[in-house]
């Protein structure tokens, strides 16, 4: 199934918004006539990192309107290294 078919099926099923990590959708789809909004997570997709940005993601999804494309960048945040006090 390609992205166009996925969007068509989602619209026919009554979905208004799609949250995805498929970066290429912006360039693969003409959203001008779409009834669905697309929100794409960019950067890392590790759940431990995505969860830290859930409020920003929810705000982007809430603000998305039909035919729009919004990117939410999820930066990879390194955990501080544990110190070795035995040295």
């Amino acid at each position: 199934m390609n992205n166009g078919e996925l969007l068509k099926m989602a619209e026919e099923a009554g979905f208004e918004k799609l949250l995805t990590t498929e970066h290429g959708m912006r360039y693969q789809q003409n959203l001008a006539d779409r009834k669905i909004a697309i929100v794409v997570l960019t950067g890392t997709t590790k759940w431990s990192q995505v969860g830290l940005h859930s409020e920003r993601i929810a705000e982007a999804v809430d603000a998305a309107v039909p035919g729009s494309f919004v990117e939410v960048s999820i930066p990879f945040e390194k955990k501080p290294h544990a110190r070795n006090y035995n040295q």
Side-chain angles (χ1 to χ4, degrees):
M1 174 184 311
N2 66 37
N3 289 334
E5 292 170 345
L6 173 67
L7 293 177
K8 182 180 177 190
M9 289 174 60
E11 288 174 331
E12 288 172 353
F15 286 87
E16 297 175 356
K17 300 175 185 187
L18 173 69
L19 178 64
T20 183
T21 58
E22 176 60 49
H23 306 153
M25 275 195 162
R26 164 173 264 176
Y27 308 105
Q28 298 168 356
Q29 302 300 316
N30 179 358
L31 300 178
D33 297 323
R34 290 286 184 192
K35 297 179 238 174
I36 197 165
I38 299 174
V39 178
V40 176
L41 302 182
T42 63
T44 184
T45 56
K46 286 188 71 170
W47 180 246
S48 61
Q49 300 294 312
V50 171
L52 298 174
H53 300 276
S54 58
E55 188 172 310
R56 286 183 36 235
I57 295 166
E59 288 172 359
V61 170
D62 287 345
V65 296
S68 69
F69 182 94
V70 178
E71 288 185 357
V72 179
S73 177
I74 308 297
F76 181 78
E77 299 172 13
K78 293 183 180 179
K79 292 181 183 178
H81 293 287
R83 293 184 183 183
N84 185 349
Y85 292 103
N86 294 327
Q87 294 180 344

